Each structure stands twice: as structure tokens, then as C-alpha cells.
Amino acid sequence: MLYRIEINTTPSNIDFSDYVQSIDKVLYKTNNRDKTIIAEGYTFKLTEKCPYTIETGTRILFWRNTTLIHIGIVEKKLYDEDNHIYTVYVNHVLSELKKRNTNLTRQDNGVGGYKTFMEVLLENTSEVTIEGFGYDLILFKDLIDLIVNETEQAGLNVDWTGVNFYTEPSFYWRCYEAGDATLTEKDSPTVDTSKLYFLAQQINCSGVNGIYAPSEFTDEMKADKPSLFDILVQVCVLLGINFVAKNATTLYAVSVRSDMSDSYLSDDEMYKIETEDDITDATGAEATYGTYDYHLWFGGWSGIPDWAPGSYFEEQYVKYGGNIYRASIDTSEEPTVGEGQYDWYQITSDIEVQAYISPISQEEFVQYNHRYGVKCENVNWMDNFNPIIADSGVGYFAIPVTDKQHSCAMYLANALTLDFRHKTIVCPAEKIIDVGLYEYDSIYIEDINNDTVEIETNYRPM
């Protein structure tokens, strides 16, 4: 059988294809024109005579020959009493991330509960030297790996080494240099993903309108945080990353390439073609978001006074005994070693994370607006989401929108400001599946009986 559908279980999967009467289009890979990820599911009709248990939470695998096309989770099953048949709704496995945010993970903390995602991030940071100080940062790829691993209890892995799937990019963005109080725009060095980082504390506050220590989040604030899927979309759009299934436990990372023509297919292989031109009105884009005041980031210990007897401090930082403290109230008492003291909070020597460890004045949470062109359209960008480039001891904060090509929001800005031609083609599946042509924005199994796929491209007319 060319196509089959299975229940993913141990010790071996269960093939129930003979009981499936029909099936909708099944996603292999898809993203929007702005390169944001779409994790789509599908539905199928199942006869009531199926002897196997398929219910909410069942893990479903859809195959073409030896290629795994889709990893899904049953969302619900509805029974049609007139026709004695079930309609089964299957979600994409990555859509499970929509049910979780940074407040909790699926990982056991060893004492009867679960870790926060912040704890998981901190456990996987690397020490990076910036301006002579060591900072704990999370690598771009590691962040993606950790988020994807949160899909299920058993988790999923990401394979970045697949031939014809992922290509390591070389890029530079318009940035601010860490600690530059003048906020002078400049180009970052040309780097690859080995120099692209985030602060764990940033991710914990991504999409949050303010800067808060973990202890400050109320239950309502925790519930209102963006989902891990939302954060994954934002991270992956930076460099155009998507995913296809490798096997039941692993996804390939796929580089999203633009402007793929249909010249690979001959005329007689294109069974159906639909073309639509999208002419945009905007010639500019802007990103507005809030974050910790840039010039305060990565400032080392400069500007922090030493504690001195007889001086009063109120929610101010001081250096004392090789540590940094923040006064919790108006006090002249000597700082006491240890976190959470009544008058003082001891924080790490990593001064850039002070706002995320101990509460601060929200006056240091400021709004930034970056734009170019005219008739600017708004780019959806999360508060506190600041990609960091660290190279040769210098840190740079990427600016979301300054121009179309050298912005970390390049794909988002291009989708708002560039004319596109959208083309949908139905063609033989063998021309696409297993060939490694992942330049297409979307690939669906369109008809299992005729073995056809539907592919979509978005490219700029010449």
C-alpha cells in the first residue's frame, strides 16, 4: 500500500488503513508568506468496525511509502449515527505547544511537580563573555530544540543535519551595541547561528508588557503569557526555519528558501495551476514593542555605587563584598548575604539579568519603534524579544525593522511591503516527496488515490 495511517504505539505501530474510508489533504510542510510556521492537522472518516482504540490523545502517523508525512494527535472523534462512521480530527504534533507556555514544562522536577521553562532554559545555557563579563545565554538552535521537546511527555528531537533540508545561514542585521547609551544604529558582524543567543529571562518575559521577576507573576499573568508555539514561531521566523517529520521521534529542521519557480515540473506534470497576484499598498513597515532600556543591558558594574555606611538606598543597586544588591525598601542597613533578605535582594554579578531576577521599577521598561518607508504597516513583534549577537566579546541587539533585507524581521516586513505572486500546483507526489525540494512554502498530500501533491509558492514577479 502506497499510503498508510498508523497508531503510534509500542512495541510496534498499528496499521488501521483498511478502516479509513476517506481522508482530507494532509500537510507535509507549510508556512505563511511571511515564513511563519503553520502546524495544520487534517480529518479522516473511520468505519465503526475498526477494532482499534482511537480516541482523544492518540498519536497518529501518516506515511507515503517509507516517508513519514505527518505526526498528529487526535483532538476529537465524532460519531455519525446515520452513516455509522466516525469523523476523526487530528492536530499537528507541534500544535500541542499551543497548550503550554513558559510557566510550566512537561519535565519532572524530581519532587512531585514540574519545572518552569525558565529553569529548563537556565540548565541549558552557555557562558558567553561580553565586555569582559561572563553571561549565561541560550543559543538559537538550543532554544528551538528545547521548545520542540515540549510537544509531548516523551518529547521530540530536532535534526539539523538533514541533506537538502537545513543550510547554515550567514547573516548580519542592523543592531544596537550592548551598553551603548546613544542607541547608535550599526551593522552587526556577519555571523552564523553559533553567535545568535537569547537570555533565558527574556524568553520568560516574551510577549509580556513589562519586566517581571518570576516571583512577581500572578496566576493571571502566567495564564496570559504567549504559548510556546507563539514563541517558536517568532524564533523560527528570524532565519526562516520550518520542520518536516524524520521519524516518530524526530523532526528535520528545514531552511525556508524563497522565490522557487515551477520550472522543475514539465507542463504535463502540472495537473492543475492557479495563480494569483497580490499587490501590496504599503511601502514601509514598523515594529513597536517594549523591553528593558537598551543602554542598561550588558553594562558590567559601571555606574553601580558602592554601599557606604550612613547612606540610604531605596530600590537602588549597590556593590558590596563582590556582589550586587538591590534595596527592597528605603534602608541604610548593611547588605546581607543571601537572596530574599527583608531589606536587600542579592542578585548575580550578571547585571543584565537584574530586572528578571528581582523586581524593578517599570520605568525601565520602555517602548521602541523602528520603521522604514512610507505608509508603514505594523509588524507583529513580541515585547522583550531581543535576539542577541555575541561576537569577539561584543554584544549586539538586533533591531526588528530598519530595512527589508537587514532586519531580523525581514520575512515579516517583506510580506507587508513586497508584491507577491502566489501559485498553487497539483502534480505527482513522486516529483516532490523524497526529492528534497523544500523551497515550496507548502506541500500537501492532495489525493492518496491518484498519488498527487498540492504545492504552493510565493515569489516576487520579475
Coordinates of all heavy atoms in Angstrom, one line a residue, residues 149-201:
N149 N 10.9 20.1 22.1 CA 10.9 19.0 23.0 C 9.8 19.0 24.0 O 9.5 18.0 24.7 CB 12.2 18.9 23.8 CG 12.4 17.6 24.6 OD1 12.3 16.5 24.0 ND2 12.7 17.7 25.9
E150 N 9.1 20.1 24.1 CA 7.9 20.3 25.0 C 6.6 19.8 24.4 O 5.6 19.9 25.0 CB 7.8 21.7 25.4 CG 8.9 22.2 26.3 CD 8.9 21.5 27.6 OE1 7.9 21.2 28.2 OE2 10.1 21.3 28.1
T151 N 6.6 19.2 23.2 CA 5.4 18.9 22.5 C 4.6 17.8 23.3 O 3.4 17.9 23.4 CB 5.7 18.3 21.1 OG1 6.7 17.4 21.1 CG2 6.1 19.5 20.2
E152 N 5.3 16.8 23.7 CA 4.7 15.7 24.4 C 5.5 15.3 25.6 O 6.7 15.7 25.8 CB 4.5 14.5 23.5 CG 3.7 14.8 22.3 CD 3.6 13.6 21.4 OE1 4.5 13.4 20.5 OE2 2.7 12.8 21.5
Q153 N 5.0 14.3 26.4 CA 5.7 13.8 27.5 C 7.1 13.2 27.1 O 8.1 13.5 27.7 CB 4.9 12.8 28.3 CG 5.4 12.5 29.7 CD 5.2 13.6 30.6 OE1 4.1 14.2 30.6 NE2 6.1 13.8 31.5
A154 N 7.1 12.5 26.0 CA 8.3 11.8 25.5 C 9.2 12.8 24.8 O 10.4 12.6 24.6 CB 8.0 10.6 24.7
G155 N 8.6 13.9 24.3 CA 9.3 14.9 23.6 C 9.6 14.6 22.1 O 9.4 13.5 21.7
L156 N 10.1 15.6 21.4 CA 10.6 15.4 20.1 C 12.0 16.0 19.9 O 12.3 17.0 20.6 CB 9.7 16.1 19.1 CG 8.4 15.5 18.7 CD1 7.6 16.4 17.8 CD2 8.6 14.1 17.9
N157 N 12.8 15.4 19.1 CA 14.1 15.9 18.8 C 14.1 16.7 17.5 O 13.2 16.5 16.6 CB 15.2 14.8 18.7 CG 15.2 14.0 20.0 OD1 15.3 14.6 21.1 ND2 15.1 12.7 19.9
V158 N 15.1 17.5 17.3 CA 15.3 18.2 16.0 C 16.7 17.8 15.4 O 17.7 17.9 16.1 CB 15.3 19.8 16.2 CG1 15.5 20.5 14.9 CG2 14.0 20.2 16.8
D159 N 16.6 17.4 14.1 CA 17.8 17.0 13.4 C 18.1 18.2 12.5 O 17.4 18.5 11.6 CB 17.5 15.8 12.6 CG 18.8 15.2 11.9 OD1 19.8 16.0 11.7 OD2 18.8 14.1 11.5
W160 N 19.3 18.8 12.7 CA 19.8 20.0 11.9 C 20.7 19.6 10.8 O 21.3 20.4 10.1 CB 20.5 21.0 12.8 CG 19.6 21.6 13.9 CD1 19.3 21.1 15.1 CD2 18.9 22.8 13.7 NE1 18.5 22.0 15.8 CE2 18.2 23.0 15.0 CE3 18.7 23.8 12.7 CZ2 17.4 24.1 15.2 CZ3 17.9 24.9 12.9 CH2 17.2 25.0 14.2
T161 N 20.9 18.3 10.6 CA 21.9 17.8 9.7 C 21.4 17.2 8.4 O 22.2 16.6 7.6 CB 22.8 16.8 10.4 OG1 22.1 15.6 10.7 CG2 23.4 17.3 11.7
G162 N 20.1 17.2 8.2 CA 19.5 16.5 7.1 C 20.0 17.1 5.7 O 19.9 18.3 5.5
V163 N 20.4 16.3 4.8 CA 20.9 16.7 3.5 C 19.7 17.3 2.7 O 18.6 16.7 2.7 CB 21.5 15.6 2.7 CG1 21.9 16.0 1.3 CG2 22.7 15.0 3.5
N164 N 19.8 18.4 2.1 CA 18.8 19.1 1.4 C 17.7 19.6 2.2 O 16.6 19.9 1.8 CB 18.2 18.2 0.3 CG 19.2 17.8 -0.8 OD1 20.0 18.7 -1.2 ND2 19.1 16.6 -1.3
F165 N 17.9 19.7 3.6 CA 16.9 20.2 4.5 C 17.4 21.5 5.0 O 16.8 22.6 4.8 CB 16.6 19.2 5.6 CG 15.8 18.0 5.2 CD1 16.5 16.9 4.7 CD2 14.4 18.0 5.2 CE1 15.8 15.8 4.3 CE2 13.7 16.9 4.8 CZ 14.4 15.8 4.4
Y166 N 18.4 21.5 5.8 CA 18.9 22.7 6.5 C 20.2 23.2 6.0 O 21.1 22.4 5.8 CB 19.0 22.4 8.0 CG 19.5 23.6 8.8 CD1 18.7 24.7 9.1 CD2 20.9 23.6 9.2 CE1 19.3 25.8 9.7 CE2 21.4 24.7 9.9 CZ 20.6 25.8 10.2 OH 21.1 26.9 10.8
T167 N 20.3 24.4 5.7 CA 21.6 25.1 5.3 C 21.9 26.2 6.3 O 21.1 27.0 6.6 CB 21.5 25.7 3.9 OG1 21.1 24.7 3.0 CG2 22.8 26.3 3.5
E168 N 23.1 26.1 6.9 CA 23.5 27.1 7.9 C 23.6 28.5 7.2 O 24.3 28.6 6.2 CB 24.9 26.7 8.5 CG 25.4 27.6 9.6 CD 24.5 27.7 10.8 OE1 23.8 26.7 11.1 OE2 24.5 28.7 11.5
P169 N 22.9 29.5 7.7 CA 22.9 30.8 7.1 C 24.1 31.6 7.5 O 24.7 31.4 8.6 CB 21.6 31.4 7.6 CG 21.4 30.8 9.0 CD 22.0 29.4 8.9
S170 N 24.4 32.6 6.7 CA 25.3 33.7 7.0 C 24.5 34.9 6.9 O 23.9 35.2 5.9 CB 26.5 33.7 6.1 OG 27.4 34.7 6.4
F171 N 24.6 35.8 8.0 CA 23.7 36.9 8.0 C 24.3 38.0 8.8 O 25.2 37.8 9.7 CB 22.3 36.6 8.6 CG 22.4 36.1 10.0 CD1 22.2 36.9 11.1 CD2 22.6 34.7 10.3 CE1 22.3 36.5 12.4 CE2 22.7 34.3 11.6 CZ 22.5 35.2 12.6
Y172 N 23.8 39.2 8.6 CA 24.1 40.3 9.5 C 22.8 41.2 9.6 O 22.0 41.2 8.7 CB 25.3 41.2 9.1 CG 25.1 42.1 7.9 CD1 24.6 43.4 8.1 CD2 25.4 41.6 6.6 CE1 24.5 44.2 6.9 CE2 25.2 42.4 5.5 CZ 24.7 43.7 5.7 OH 24.6 44.5 4.6
W173 N 22.6 41.8 10.8 CA 21.4 42.6 11.0 C 21.8 44.0 11.5 O 22.9 44.2 12.0 CB 20.5 41.9 12.0 CG 19.9 40.7 11.6 CD1 19.4 40.4 10.4 CD2 19.5 39.6 12.4 NE1 18.9 39.1 10.3 CE2 18.9 38.6 11.6 CE3 19.7 39.3 13.8 CZ2 18.4 37.4 12.1 CZ3 19.2 38.1 14.3 CH2 18.6 37.1 13.4
R174 N 20.9 44.9 11.3 CA 21.1 46.2 12.0 C 20.8 46.1 13.5 O 19.9 45.4 13.9 CB 20.1 47.2 11.4 CG 20.4 47.5 9.9 CD 21.7 48.3 9.7 NE 21.6 49.7 10.1 CZ 22.6 50.5 10.2 NH1 23.8 50.1 10.0 NH2 22.4 51.8 10.5
C175 N 21.7 46.7 14.3 CA 21.7 46.4 15.7 C 22.1 47.7 16.5 O 22.5 48.7 16.0 CB 22.8 45.4 16.0 SG 22.4 43.7 15.3
Y176 N 21.9 47.5 17.8 CA 22.5 48.4 18.8 C 23.6 47.6 19.5 O 23.4 46.4 19.8 CB 21.5 48.9 19.9 CG 20.4 49.7 19.4 CD1 19.1 49.5 19.9 CD2 20.5 50.7 18.4 CE1 18.0 50.3 19.5 CE2 19.5 51.5 18.0 CZ 18.2 51.3 18.5 OH 17.2 52.1 18.1
E177 N 24.7 48.3 19.8 CA 25.8 47.6 20.5 C 25.4 47.6 22.0 O 25.0 48.6 22.5 CB 27.1 48.3 20.3 CG 28.3 47.5 20.9 CD 29.6 48.0 20.4 OE1 29.7 48.5 19.3 OE2 30.5 48.0 21.2
A178 N 25.6 46.5 22.7 CA 25.3 46.4 24.1 C 26.0 47.5 24.9 O 27.2 47.7 24.7 CB 25.6 45.0 24.6
G179 N 25.2 48.2 25.7 CA 25.8 49.2 26.6 C 26.0 50.5 26.0 O 26.4 51.5 26.6
D180 N 25.6 50.7 24.7 CA 25.7 52.0 24.0 C 24.5 52.9 24.4 O 23.4 52.7 24.0 CB 25.7 51.8 22.5 CG 25.8 53.1 21.7 OD1 26.0 54.1 22.4 OD2 25.7 53.0 20.5
A181 N 24.7 53.8 25.3 CA 23.7 54.7 25.7 C 23.1 55.6 24.7 O 22.0 56.2 24.8 CB 24.2 55.5 26.9
T182 N 23.9 55.8 23.6 CA 23.4 56.7 22.5 C 22.4 56.0 21.5 O 21.8 56.7 20.7 CB 24.6 57.2 21.7 OG1 25.2 56.1 21.0 CG2 25.6 57.9 22.6
L183 N 22.3 54.7 21.6 CA 21.4 53.9 20.7 C 21.8 54.2 19.3 O 20.9 54.5 18.4 CB 20.0 54.2 21.0 CG 19.4 53.8 22.4 CD1 18.0 54.0 22.5 CD2 19.7 52.3 22.6
T184 N 23.0 54.1 19.0 CA 23.5 54.3 17.6 C 23.3 53.1 16.8 O 23.8 52.0 17.1 CB 25.0 54.7 17.6 OG1 25.2 55.9 18.3 CG2 25.5 55.0 16.1
E185 N 22.6 53.2 15.7 CA 22.3 52.0 14.8 C 23.6 51.6 14.1 O 24.3 52.5 13.6 CB 21.3 52.4 13.8 CG 20.1 51.5 13.8 CD 19.1 51.9 12.7 OE1 19.4 51.7 11.6 OE2 18.0 52.4 13.1
K186 N 23.9 50.3 14.0 CA 25.1 49.9 13.3 C 24.8 48.5 12.8 O 23.9 47.8 13.2 CB 26.3 49.9 14.1 CG 26.2 49.0 15.4 CD 27.5 49.1 16.2 CE 27.7 50.5 16.8 NZ 28.9 50.6 17.6
D187 N 25.7 48.0 11.8 CA 25.6 46.7 11.4 C 26.3 45.7 12.4 O 27.4 46.1 12.9 CB 26.3 46.5 10.0 CG 25.6 47.2 8.9 OD1 24.4 47.4 9.0 OD2 26.2 47.5 7.9
S188 N 25.7 44.6 12.6 CA 26.4 43.6 13.4 C 27.5 43.0 12.5 O 27.5 43.2 11.3 CB 25.4 42.5 13.8 OG 25.1 41.7 12.7
P189 N 28.4 42.2 13.1 CA 29.3 41.4 12.3 C 28.5 40.4 11.4 O 27.4 40.0 11.8 CB 30.2 40.7 13.3 CG 30.0 41.4 14.6 CD 28.6 42.0 14.5
T190 N 29.1 39.9 10.4 CA 28.5 38.8 9.6 C 28.8 37.5 10.4 O 29.9 37.2 10.6 CB 29.1 38.7 8.2 OG1 28.8 39.9 7.5 CG2 28.4 37.5 7.4
V191 N 27.7 36.8 10.8 CA 27.8 35.6 11.6 C 27.0 34.5 11.1 O 26.2 34.6 10.2 CB 27.5 36.0 13.1 CG1 28.4 37.0 13.7 CG2 26.0 36.5 13.2
D192 N 27.0 33.3 11.8 CA 26.1 32.3 11.6 C 25.4 32.0 13.0 O 25.5 32.8 13.9 CB 26.7 31.0 11.1 CG 27.8 30.5 12.0 OD1 27.8 30.7 13.2 OD2 28.7 29.8 11.5
T193 N 24.6 31.0 13.1 CA 23.7 30.8 14.3 C 24.6 30.4 15.5 O 24.0 30.5 16.6 CB 22.7 29.6 14.0 OG1 23.4 28.4 13.7 CG2 21.8 30.0 12.9
S194 N 25.8 30.1 15.3 CA 26.7 29.8 16.5 C 26.9 31.1 17.3 O 27.4 31.0 18.5 CB 28.0 29.2 16.1 OG 28.8 30.1 15.4
K195 N 26.6 32.3 16.8 CA 26.8 33.5 17.5 C 25.4 34.2 17.9 O 25.4 35.3 18.3 CB 27.6 34.5 16.6 CG 28.9 34.0 16.2 CD 29.9 33.8 17.3 CE 31.2 33.3 16.8 NZ 31.9 34.3 16.0
L196 N 24.3 33.5 17.7 CA 23.0 34.0 17.9 C 22.4 33.5 19.2 O 22.2 32.3 19.4 CB 22.1 33.7 16.8 CG 20.7 34.3 16.8 CD1 20.7 35.8 16.9 CD2 19.9 33.9 15.5
Y197 N 22.1 34.4 20.2 CA 21.7 34.0 21.5 C 20.4 34.7 22.0 O 20.0 35.7 21.4 CB 22.8 34.3 22.5 CG 24.1 33.6 22.3 CD1 25.1 34.2 21.5 CD2 24.4 32.4 22.9 CE1 26.3 33.5 21.3 CE2 25.6 31.8 22.7 CZ 26.6 32.3 21.9 OH 27.8 31.7 21.7
F198 N 19.9 34.2 23.2 CA 18.9 34.9 23.9 C 19.2 34.8 25.4 O 19.9 33.8 25.8 CB 17.5 34.3 23.7 CG 17.0 34.4 22.2 CD1 17.4 33.4 21.3 CD2 16.3 35.5 21.8 CE1 16.9 33.5 20.0 CE2 15.9 35.6 20.5 CZ 16.2 34.6 19.6
L199 N 18.6 35.7 26.2 CA 18.6 35.5 27.6 C 17.4 34.6 28.0 O 16.3 34.8 27.5 CB 18.5 36.8 28.3 CG 19.7 37.7 28.5 CD1 19.3 39.0 29.0 CD2 20.6 37.0 29.6
A200 N 17.6 33.6 28.9 CA 16.5 32.8 29.4 C 15.4 33.7 29.9 O 14.2 33.5 29.8 CB 17.0 31.8 30.4
Q201 N 15.9 34.8 30.6 CA 14.9 35.7 31.3 C 14.1 36.5 30.2 O 12.9 36.8 30.5 CB 15.6 36.7 32.2 CG 16.3 36.0 33.4 CD 17.6 35.4 33.1 OE1 18.1 35.4 32.0 NE2 18.2 34.8 34.1

